[in-house]
Amino acid sequence: VQYSFKEVFGTLVAQKKLFDVVAKPLVEDLIHGKNGLLFTYGVTGSGKTHTMTGSPGDGGLLPRCLDMIFKSIGSFQAKRFVFKLDDKNSIDVQCEVDALLERQKRDAMPVPKTPSGKRQIDPEIADMINVQDHCKAEEVDEDNVYSVFVSYIEIYNNYIYDLLEEAPFEPIKSKWNSCNTPLRNGDFIPPQSKILREDQNRNMYVTGCTEVEVKSTEEAFEVFWRGQKKRRIANTQLNRESSRSHSVFTIKLAQAPLDADGDNVLQEKEQIVLSQLSLVDLAGSERANRTKAEGNRLREAGNINQSLMTLRTCIEILRENQMYGINKMVPYRDSKLTLLFKNYFDGEGKVRMIVCVNPKAEDYEESLQVMRFAEMTQEVEVTRPVDRPLYGLTPGRRFRNQAFQEELSQKLVLRGGPIDGEPEEQSVLEMFLENFPLLPACELSDVNDDQTLPKLIEVLEKRRKLRQMLSKQFSRAVLDLKAMLQEFDCSVASKENHVKVMLSEKEKTIAGQKTEIERLEKKIKTLEYKIDILEKTATIYEEDKRNLQQELESKSQKLQRQASDKRRLEARFQGMVAETTMKWEKECERRVAAKQLEMQNKLWVKDEKLKQLKAIVTEPKNEKPERPSRERDREKPLQRSVSPSSVPNVPPVRLRHRRSRSAGERWVDHKPPSNLPTDTVMQPHVPHAITVAAASEKALAKCDKYMLTHQELASDGEIETKLIKGDVFKTRGGGQAVQFTDIETLKQESPTGRKRKSSPTCPDPPEEAAESEWTDVETRCSVAVEMKAGSALGPGYEHHAQPK
């Protein structure tokens, strides 16, 4: 038995190689905004959970996916609660202030906080997430901010349960206690199953499912491990820790672009991209007679097998719809597992499946079924979603903003004091004050001092004049600046008007282009619809063409058969016509010969009578003899009189044996043992014949004619013998066949008895008796032999006696 797959891994394959081939492309699609589904499939105990989670020191696919995600977006993550999920499978974006208030509110709540990546990691899982492979996705959009949300559910007995609920999680218990009364509020109430719903984008999601925002690989895997401890496992005959449910670990990645300044998140919900990667660990299919399951274990195995059978049925129907061009309904709703991932099978993401095979001989039959299903799933093709349109912002905004912030901080540092001993730049006020003349000493030590005040008055006068001059210059400069500003305003206004005109023209052009795009899109849709119709019509015509070709071929074959049958019938009819013509020619010849013989016999009888009459007339008689009475003649035995020797011209009558018309041919004379001898004078005689009691192939091979002697009792009580003749032909297969062509009938009749009269007392003289015996022609011809024509099928003879 052989099965073909895209990739086959050995028993000693490393987890890294398996991740690079299978899971890494799905993680890259997740970061680029596309959905993905990865699930493990196989019999119980074949290593599905080990492939997904790994072992200490060698992490599986799940921790490696988390590590690659956070290494790719680590420096581009948004702060907590910037992205906020709601209960309708949609996401909102908040500003920094609202996110800060949300964080403070969550920190003040007494509920257990989300695990932090800085606190001590559980030693049980520390080795699993210690992945040394520095694997990152390529072409990560650096102008986006990212947030990661994880959720963990299980499908147990076709019910969905949240493994991250804070309520105590135990196996399902009844809501009634031992006294058959409802449980009180203080008693334990088992968790309620979740409901699957469809959002506004027709995507399936689990209502009320806990989704935790995580910021590191350690934090995400710790959330997974907390839910993994609550997953249902049991000990069976085939696996000590057998998964009794299908587990689904979902990683959601929300990303949104930065604004034009590259500082804050763009507050537009339409620009948020939410992609998810679902890692599914299916429960293994198993047989109850091998696991020896009873009670709850047996019911769990039945539900597991039923959900896997529904998955197989959905895949098979999708394959049939694609191969034969039909639109058969896919039964997604027969199982929660298939209904949850309906969007993936309809084309909303890439699907990968890892088939785990156990080489044990006891699992041979189950492994064959698994590989047959896995090979069949490769033939299913799903359409891929179209990439989201670009939002038209300039790339590189984040790094330009970072460079601006760094330069601004440097400017602020420079404004606070000199750097590296460089002199300060002089201000405009200091430069203005340096141009004024220095004030002299204003101290008056003597009353009679008349020099200090005049000098001071002179300096102040100079300063006043200089001030007036500077004010005039400043006024002129202000006027010049105003004129320049007015000119600049005019130029700016003219440029602004020109820009407005250009913008209006561009807007008109854009509006026209939009209209043209809408028209082209409608035209494209119409053409696509027409193409679909033409393809369907072409498919129908091709099918009709094939049917007509098949019908034409069958008709041509039928006509050929009819032509060959016609030729064969024509040849047969020509042979029959030739044979019938020959037969009737022979029959006519025979009848002519029989008629000639009959006329010759009549002429001979007449000649005989005339000769006897002449002899009687010419013979001299002295005394006329007494004519014997008719009664006395009847009493005597009837004997044929022999013609007198005195008449030498009369030929004697010869008794001839009847012989066949085909005396010169080789015959098979078939005489059954039940035939009785007739002891007649005339017997059929066929020379060169092989007499047999039963027909045999050996005898038929030596001869070319066949004759069957058949006897039956006639209506008058006499035996009637029929000679059935035929021709022997060789068949195509090497055998012999007989075609009957002639029947001869041999029939014997006893002569009618005559009434005898009393003879006279005196006997006739012997002389007279002898004389009357040969002279009475009428008496001698009372019993004769006459040849007559036989049946219509062929010549024959009849023995009969004609009484006088």
Side-chain angles (χ1 to χ4, degrees):
V1 181
Q2 293 183 355
Y3 299 98
S4 300
F5 300 97
K6 294 181 179 178
E7 193 76 29
V8 179
F9 302 95
T11 56
L12 302 179
V13 65
Q15 294 277 13
K16 181 181 183 304
K17 182 178 179 181
L18 183 64
F19 169 77
D20 292 339
V21 175
V22 180
K24 185 177 178 180
L26 296 179
V27 177
E28 291 178 348
D29 289 345
L30 175 71
I31 295 175
H32 295 153
K34 299 178 182 179
N35 298 332
L37 171 64
L38 173 64
F39 60 92
T40 56
Y41 181 76
V43 299
T44 182
S46 59
K48 300 182 296 298
T49 304
H50 173 74
T51 303
M52 189 63 70
T53 60
S55 58
D58 190 13
L61 299 180
L62 191 146
R64 291 178 184 271
C65 291
L66 293 173
D67 183 71
M68 180 177 175
I69 291 172
F70 285 105
K71 284 182 178 179
S72 301
I73 65 169
S75 58
F76 308 131
Q77 292 192 67
K79 295 182 180 180
R80 290 185 187 272
F81 306 116
V82 171
F83 293 99
K84 185 177 180 182
L85 296 173
D86 58 9
D87 56 352
K88 295 182 180 179
N89 201 33
S90 61
I91 189 168
D92 294 328
V93 60
Q94 301 183 121
C95 63
E96 292 289 342
V97 177
D98 294 336
L100 178 62
L101 294 175
E102 185 76 18
R103 288 195 297 272
Q104 293 176 356
K105 181 180 178 181
R106 293 295 179 94
D107 293 340
M109 293 176 65
V111 298
K113 297 181 181 179
T114 303
S116 175
K118 296 182 180 180
R119 71 182 197 180
Q120 189 66 26
I121 304 174
D122 189 355
E124 187 177 3
I125 63 174
D127 293 337
M128 291 187 182
I129 60 177
N130 188 16
V131 181
Q132 299 299 329
D133 304 327
H134 299 284
C135 186
K136 291 185 178 180
E138 298 179 357
E139 299 180 359
V140 179
D141 193 350
E142 299 170 348
D143 293 323
N144 286 359
V145 291
Y146 301 87
S147 288
V148 180
F149 299 85
V150 295
S151 62
Y152 198 18
I153 63 171
E154 71 170 352
I155 302 175
Y156 175 75
N157 287 341
N158 208 26
Y159 291 97
I160 300 176
Y161 297 98
D162 186 4
L163 296 177
L164 300 181
E165 279 186 340
E166 297 298 335
F169 196 94
E170 293 183 8
I172 294 178
K173 297 181 180 179
S174 174
K175 295 185 180 181
W176 302 82
N177 56 21
S178 58
C179 300
N180 292 328
T181 58
L183 294 174
R184 298 185 302 275
N185 294 332
D187 296 333
F188 171 77
I189 297 178
Q192 297 295 320
S193 63
K194 304 299 180 180
I195 301 175
L196 280 176
R197 295 189 186 278
E198 193 174 44
D199 61 7
Q200 60 182 358
N201 297 324
R202 306 186 68 83
N203 296 321
M204 304 304 299
Y205 70 98
V206 181
T207 57
C209 178
T210 304
E211 293 178 318
V212 182
E213 185 177 5
V214 290
K215 295 298 179 181
S216 65
T217 305
E218 295 80 6
E219 184 180 352
F221 197 78
E222 189 173 353
V223 172
F224 163 76
W225 198 253
R226 190 174 75 231
Q228 185 73 2
K229 292 180 180 179
K230 299 178 182 179
R231 188 183 176 189
R232 291 174 173 83
I233 60 174
N235 184 13
T236 63
Q237 293 288 335
L238 301 181
N239 191 358
R240 186 169 58 86
E241 294 183 356
S242 175
S243 302
R244 313 310 296 168
S245 62
H246 309 300
S247 66
V248 182
F249 186 76
T250 304
I251 305 172
K252 288 186 177 181
L253 181 64
Q255 52 183 307
L258 295 172
D259 56 8
D261 296 333
D263 190 13
N264 298 319
V265 182
L266 192 65
Q267 301 292 316
E268 293 182 10
K269 188 176 180 180
E270 294 79 10
Q271 300 297 339
I272 302 175
V273 178
L274 182 63
S275 56
Q276 68 178 23
L277 173 62
S278 299
L279 304 175
V280 185
D281 182 14
L282 296 176
S285 60
E286 57 187 32
R287 294 185 178 180
N289 57 357
R290 293 188 59 209
T291 57
K292 309 298 181 184
E294 296 178 354
N296 291 334
R297 301 286 87 81
L298 182 61
R299 183 163 61 92
E300 292 167 357
N303 288 318
I304 291 171
N305 294 335
Q306 180 64 33
S307 61
L308 295 177
M309 183 61 67
T310 304
L311 175 63
R312 176 176 299 182
T313 304
C314 294
I315 296 295
E316 289 178 352
I317 293 178
L318 285 173
R319 175 171 167 266
E320 291 178 2
N321 290 343
Q322 293 176 2
M323 289 183 63
Y324 304 111
I326 58 179
N327 193 16
K328 190 176 180 181
M329 188 183 69
V330 184
Y332 292 121
R333 295 187 176 273
D334 291 353
S335 173
K336 296 291 180 62
L337 178 66
T338 54
L339 183 59
L340 179 61
F341 300 120
K342 177 177 74 70
N343 305 102
Y344 290 97
F345 298 131
D346 288 341
E348 290 295 331
K350 187 181 294 183
V351 182
R352 293 285 178 91
M353 179 173 66
I354 299 176
V355 181
C356 300
V357 179
N358 196 334
K360 292 197 304 182
E362 293 83 359
D363 294 338
Y364 178 74
E365 295 294 336
E366 290 88 343
S367 299
L368 285 183
Q369 296 291 336
V370 168
M371 288 189 289
R372 186 179 296 113
F373 166 68
E375 185 183 38
M376 182 264 296
T377 56
Q378 297 180 110
E379 302 177 5
V380 178
E381 298 179 358
V382 294
T383 57
R384 302 300 179 198
V386 182
D387 294 336
R388 294 175 60 91
L390 299 176
Y391 32 79
L393 296 176
T394 306
R397 303 182 301 280
R398 181 190 294 271
F399 288 110
R400 285 202 302 272
N401 184 45
Q402 290 178 357
F404 174 75
Q405 294 293 340
E406 291 176 359
E407 185 179 359
L408 182 62
S409 63
Q410 290 179 2
K411 290 291 184 182
L412 292 175
V413 171
L414 291 174
R415 178 174 290 184
I419 300 176
D420 298 333
E422 294 181 358
E424 294 184 3
E425 296 181 359
Q426 285 183 331
S427 62
V428 177
L429 181 60
E430 291 176 350
M431 294 175 64
F432 179 75
L433 292 176
E434 286 180 355
N435 294 325
F436 281 92
L438 297 177
L439 291 175
C442 298
E443 183 179 358
L444 294 175
S445 59
D446 190 3
V447 177
N448 298 318
D449 188 1
D450 54 355
Q451 295 180 357
T452 302
L453 290 175
K455 290 181 179 179
L456 180 61
I457 292 170
E458 182 181 0
V459 170
L460 291 175
E461 186 66 26
K462 289 181 180 180
R463 287 200 173 198
R464 185 181 66 82
K465 292 179 180 179
L466 183 60
R467 182 172 174 271
Q468 290 177 354
M469 183 185 64
L470 289 176
S471 62
K472 290 179 180 179
Q473 291 178 356
F474 182 74
S475 298
R476 287 196 298 270
V478 168
L479 293 175
D480 294 338
L481 181 60
K482 285 183 178 179
M484 291 175 61
L485 287 176
Q486 289 177 356
E487 292 177 359
F488 182 74
D489 288 339
C490 292
S491 64
V492 168
S494 62
K495 290 181 180 180
E496 185 176 358
N497 294 330
H498 179 69
V499 168
K500 286 182 179 180
V501 173
M502 295 294 293
L503 284 177
S504 61
E505 292 178 357
K506 293 293 184 182
E507 287 177 356
K508 291 180 181 179
T509 305
I510 291 172
Q513 291 178 352
K514 286 183 178 180
T515 306
E516 182 68 16
I517 289 172
E518 291 177 356
R519 186 184 66 81
L520 292 176
E521 287 178 351
K522 292 180 180 179
K523 187 176 180 180
I524 288 172
K525 290 181 179 179
T526 306
L527 292 176
E528 288 178 351
Y529 177 71
K530 290 181 179 179
I531 288 171
D532 293 338
I533 294 176
L534 291 175
E535 287 178 352
K536 292 180 181 178
T537 308
T539 304
I540 295 172
Y541 285 162
E542 288 178 357
E543 186 69 23
D544 294 341
K545 180 181 177 182
R546 286 194 295 269
N547 294 333
L548 291 175
Q549 286 179 351
Q550 293 177 358
E551 186 177 357
L552 180 61
E553 290 177 358
S554 62
K555 293 287 186 182
S556 61
Q557 292 176 359
K558 187 176 179 181
L559 288 175
Q560 291 177 0
R561 288 196 300 269
Q562 290 178 355
S564 61
D565 293 342
K566 182 179 179 181
R567 289 192 297 269
R568 188 168 57 252
L569 287 175
E570 286 178 354
R572 184 178 176 183
F573 286 155
Q574 289 176 1
M576 291 177 65
V577 167
E579 186 179 356
T580 306
T581 304
M582 186 182 298
K583 176 178 162 182
W584 281 107
E585 287 177 356
K586 292 181 180 180
E587 177 68 17
C588 291
E589 293 176 358
R590 185 193 62 77
R591 290 186 180 182
V592 169
K595 199 67 174 176
Q596 289 177 357
L597 183 59
E598 182 181 359
M599 297 301 294
Q600 288 177 2
N601 289 334
K602 289 182 179 181
L603 289 174
W604 179 79
V605 171
K606 288 182 180 181
D607 290 342
E608 186 70 21
K609 287 183 180 182
L610 289 174
K611 288 178 182 179
Q612 290 178 3
L613 184 60
K614 182 179 180 181
I616 292 171
V617 171
T618 58
E619 184 179 359
K621 293 184 182 179
N622 297 326
E623 186 179 356
K624 187 176 181 180
E626 183 181 359
R627 183 180 179 86
S629 63
R630 196 175 293 275
E631 290 80 5
R632 187 173 58 190
D633 293 337
R634 292 196 181 105
E635 289 176 1
K636 294 180 181 181
L638 298 174
Q639 298 179 357
R640 286 193 58 141
S641 61
V642 182
S643 300
S645 58
S646 58
V647 187
N649 296 326
V650 180
V653 179
R654 293 183 58 189
L655 298 177
R656 298 183 180 180
H657 287 285
R658 181 209 177 273
R659 62 191 297 273
S660 172
R661 291 183 293 112
S662 304
E665 298 173 342
R666 189 76 170 173
W667 286 78
V668 175
D669 190 4
H670 182 188
K671 292 183 178 181
S674 60
N675 288 356
L676 298 176
T678 56
D679 296 332
T680 57
V681 176
M682 301 186 70
Q683 294 287 340
H685 175 66
V686 181
H688 308 291
I690 300 175
T691 304
V692 295
S696 63
E697 185 178 357
K698 183 176 180 181
L700 292 173
K702 297 179 180 179
C703 303
D704 51 1
K705 295 291 184 177
Y706 173 81
M707 182 176 69
L708 171 63
T709 304
H710 172 66
Q711 291 182 347
E712 61 183 7
L713 192 63
S715 59
D716 56 356
E718 297 294 339
I719 295 176
E720 182 177 288
T721 303
K722 291 185 178 180
L723 303 179
I724 305 173
K725 300 178 182 181
D727 297 332
V728 180
F729 297 97
K730 290 184 179 181
T731 61
R732 293 183 180 179
Q736 306 294 330
V738 178
Q739 181 179 2
F740 293 102
T741 60
D742 197 4
I743 297 178
E744 293 186 7
T745 304
L746 304 182
K747 185 176 180 182
Q748 67 181 19
E749 296 178 358
S750 299
T752 307
R754 300 171 180 170
K755 295 182 181 180
R756 295 184 179 180
K757 297 182 180 180
S758 58
S759 58
T761 56
C762 295
D764 295 335
E767 295 82 1
E768 295 176 0
E771 182 181 0
S772 63
E773 186 174 354
W774 65 270
T775 56
D776 193 358
V777 180
E778 185 180 3
T779 303
R780 288 190 295 111
C781 294
S782 60
V783 178
V785 178
E786 183 179 355
M787 182 178 294
K788 298 178 65 178
S791 62
L793 293 175
Y797 297 97
E798 288 189 2
H799 301 277
H800 58 88
Q802 294 182 354
K804 186 66 181 176

